[in-house]
Amino acid sequence: MSQLFSDETHRNLLSRIPQCTGREVADWLRTVDEGPALLRFDERVSWLRGAHNLAYGHAKAIVHEHDLRRAARKR
């Protein structure tokens, strides 16, 4: 994905995910971990949207947060 959300928009989306989906962000991050081994960002977003009926913004925020946390673990 060429255009990422601003940090503020990302945080706002993450904060609304539990209310909108009924699941905590940590649960969604585990879902991405346990999902198919898709390498591309947009493939993972599309998978979340299709398999779990998520809105585009929520799926994108979850995948972005997953990538941020994975990068932090590698440091």
Side-chain angles (χ1 to χ4, degrees), residues 2 5-7 10-12 14 17 19 23 28 30 36 40-41 45-48 51-52 54 58 61 63 65 74:
S2 59
F5 299 127
S6 71
D7 288 339
H10 178 67
R11 285 191 306 275
N12 287 337
L14 285 180
I17 286 173
Q19 176 186 351
R23 292 173 62 184
W28 285 113
R30 277 191 302 277
R40 293 182 46 206
F41 184 93
V45 170
S46 293
W47 171 74
L48 273 178
H52 298 282
L54 287 177
H58 292 147
V63 173
E65 184 66 18
K74 288 183 179 180

